[in-house]
């Protein structure tokens, strides 16, 4: 199974918070920094319909432009996805 993708931008405080949270819970991610690799920005826009970060994609599940609490809210609203990710909320 492939890892969830987390789109980030270097210097983004919300991205730093998300990375810290995912590290604390032990979620392995594929990180894509669209600032250091701008060729990936169209991919982020296609996935989420916007260009803001952090944005997490796991299959068809996408949480765009979130802070950690908004991410947790998205998982509470999608318990099957939380289970897929192995996150208890």
């Amino acid at each position: 199974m492939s890892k969830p993708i987390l789109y980030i931008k270097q210097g983004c405080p919300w991205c730093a918070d998300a990375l810290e949270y995912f590290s604390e819970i032990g979620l392995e991610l594929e990180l894509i920094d669209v600032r250091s690799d701008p060729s990936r920005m169209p991919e982020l826009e296609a996935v989420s319909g916007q260009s803001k970060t952090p944005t997490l994609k796991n299959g068809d599940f996408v949480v765009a432009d979130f802070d950690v609490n908004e991410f947790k809210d998205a998982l509470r609203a999608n318990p099957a996805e939380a289970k897929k990710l192995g996150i208890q909320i």
Side-chain angles (χ1 to χ4, degrees):
M1 184 175 164
S2 61
K3 294 179 187 175
I5 298 170
L6 183 65
Y7 297 90
I8 60 170
K9 292 177 184 166
Q10 208 53 249
C12 162
W14 297 277
C15 297
D17 290 347
L19 288 169
E20 181 178 338
Y21 168 71
F22 293 131
S23 176
E24 286 173 3
I25 64 170
L27 183 63
E28 290 187 38
L29 300 162
E30 176 185 345
L31 296 178
I32 298 175
D33 186 329
V34 295
R35 273 205 181 123
S36 63
D37 187 357
S39 69
R40 304 294 294 266
M41 181 62 80
E43 180 182 329
L44 168 61
E45 292 171 345
V47 161
S48 65
Q50 50 84 58
S51 62
K52 296 179 181 171
T53 58
T55 293
L56 181 130
K57 178 183 185 309
N58 188 46
D60 292 333
F61 180 72
V62 176
V63 183
D65 184 27
F66 63 87
D67 67 27
V68 171
N69 287 328
E70 290 168 331
F71 181 76
K72 290 177 182 179
D73 289 345
L75 289 184
R76 281 187 200 97
N78 296 279
E81 198 59 42
K83 186 175 181 179
K84 281 187 215 172
L85 290 167
I87 299 174
Q88 290 188 329
I89 296 294

